[in-house]
Amino acid sequence: MNWVNLTSVEQLEEIKNASGYSLIFKHSTRCSISLMAKKNFEFDWDVIPSDTKLFFLDLISYRDISNHVAEVFQVTHQSPQILLIKDGECILEASHSDISAEEVAEVIAA
């Protein structure tokens, strides 16, 4: 699996309008906790169905998009943070040590 860099509002609108599952990983490049959460997530991400679109948001470089994510999906901004989107709605949000590829896979399988 590979990350798709989330770098534009247009991509965010595509995620909002897409059918199926998309995941946004909001990452701070200045935070060691965020780096650890990302590494742990990537270590286990093979449990997530391969047709799930995985988006990576560098929120230091793209703070405006990060703010837009919070607004569009009605979540409180956190870092690190994952949002699992299904058919335009955020159905799972987790941050810090609660970020889990296994939980994402379980929600998708349910």
Side-chain angles (χ1 to χ4, degrees):
M1 297 178 82
N2 293 308
W3 293 113
V4 173
N5 289 321
L6 179 54
T7 59
S8 72
V9 172
E10 291 79 18
Q11 284 176 292
L12 187 56
E13 291 304 315
E14 289 174 17
I15 294 167
K16 176 75 175 160
N17 295 321
S19 60
Y21 292 96
S22 298
L23 182 127
I24 299 171
F25 189 103
K26 294 171 53 181
H27 174 69
S28 170
T29 55
R30 297 181 186 157
C31 175
S32 60
I33 294 170
S34 191
L35 180 62
M36 183 178 66
K38 180 178 175 279
K39 285 185 179 191
N40 289 340
F41 185 84
E42 289 175 334
F43 183 77
D44 292 330
W45 72 358
D46 59 334
V47 299
I48 297 172
S50 61
D51 61 342
T52 305
K53 299 172 192 105
L54 302 176
F55 293 90
F56 178 83
L57 176 58
D58 174 349
L59 57 88
I60 301 298
S61 297
Y62 298 98
R63 183 62 183 197
D64 58 330
I65 296 172
S66 178
N67 292 336
H68 200 64
V69 166
E71 181 182 318
V72 168
F73 295 110
Q74 300 176 350
V75 296
T76 302
H77 164 76
Q78 297 193 48
S79 171
Q81 182 178 39
I82 59 167
L83 287 80
L84 181 62
I85 312 301
K86 179 182 181 191
D87 301 331
E89 299 294 325
C90 181
I91 61 168
L92 174 68
E93 179 273 326
S95 66
H96 297 82
S97 62
D98 291 333
I99 293 173
S100 164
E102 287 96 6
E103 183 176 13
V104 169
E106 288 173 12
V107 170
I108 291 173

